Amino acid sequence: MKKVGLFFGTFNPIHIGHLIIANHMVEFSDLDEVWFVITPQSPFKVKQSLLDNNHRYQMVFEAVQEYPKLKPSKIEFDLPQPNYTTDTLAHLDDSYGNDHRFSLIMGEDNLKNFHKWKNYETILEHYSIHVYPRVSEGVVEHEFKDHPKITRVDAPIMEISSTFIRKAHKAGKNIRPLLPYTVWKYMDEMNFYR
């Protein structure tokens, strides 16, 4: 049974913070692989400056080339919109369930709002969650504090955001150190976020 951590996000663009967390999860937890699930449209985010799905997939593909345990996934591209994690998990189980066991990867900031997710009880009943630390406001619901399905992984705290990268790039700032070189190259060649 291959244990796969699902790291959901728009990855608009993927940056070194994403890679550091995903790599830490696969090296320092019970996960065998981490799949970057590129979300076409989040129920919680407005779709203003979102690059085309395939361009974001290509950037993730470029970013993980040298990391065999990290994979890009476009599984949500063909699912009904908006995407809900519970539906994606059901689809993945139908497609890969015989030899894969899926877990969610989320920042502690997302755990604080997890009780607002569609079918969160069902998700928690059937899947484990690997949580990485984030600096954020608010508190984690009591029911999630010592839950047997929730594992806290002591990953580095990454305070880099794709929003910051897009704004800084548009303002002409040098953001190259925040991106894998292949992502920077693709982004620059395609003239994204200018």
Side-chain angles (χ1 to χ4, degrees), residues 11 16 20 127 129:
F11 303 112
I16 60 163
I20 289 168
Y127 304 93
I129 300 177

Side-chain angles (χ1 to χ4, degrees), residues 43-98:
F44 300 110
K45 285 189 181 171
V46 187
K47 202 176 175 177
Q48 294 159 329
S49 60
L50 205 53
L51 280 186
D52 174 78
N53 293 342
N54 292 313
H55 286 306
R56 288 180 293 118
Y57 173 84
Q58 187 62 37
M59 287 193 286
V60 172
F61 176 83
E62 298 288 344
V64 301
Q65 282 298 287
E66 295 175 23
Y67 304 93
K69 296 177 187 174
L70 307 181
K71 315 272 183 204
S73 172
K74 49 170 96 171
I75 195 84
E76 289 197 331
F77 290 8
D78 298 322
L79 296 178
Q81 303 292 323
N83 297 102
Y84 291 101
T85 303
T86 185
D87 301 332
T88 303
L89 288 166
H91 182 78
L92 283 166
D93 274 341
D94 288 346
S95 304
Y96 300 95
N98 294 338

Side-chain angles (χ1 to χ4, degrees), residues 10-30:
T10 52
F11 303 112
N12 188 38
I14 186 171
H15 53 67
I16 60 163
H18 296 129
L19 281 183
I20 289 168
I21 288 165
N23 188 68
H24 193 91
M25 287 290 179
V26 87
E27 295 297 337
F28 298 97
S29 77
D30 62 346

Side-chain angles (χ1 to χ4, degrees), residues 30-43:
D30 62 346
L31 298 174
D32 300 312
E33 288 182 355
V34 169
W35 293 4
F36 287 88
V37 181
I38 300 127
T39 306
Q41 177 191 358
S42 163

Side-chain angles (χ1 to χ4, degrees), residues 48 70-71 81 86 88 98 105 109 111-112 116 127 145 150-151 154 159 164-165 188 192:
Q48 294 159 329
L70 307 181
K71 315 272 183 204
Q81 303 292 323
T86 185
T88 303
N98 294 338
I105 294 173
D109 52 335
L111 186 61
K112 290 172 183 174
K116 297 177 183 172
Y127 304 93
K145 280 221 164 75
I150 298 175
T151 304
D154 191 20
E159 290 300 306
F164 171 79
I165 288 171
D188 191 49
F192 290 148

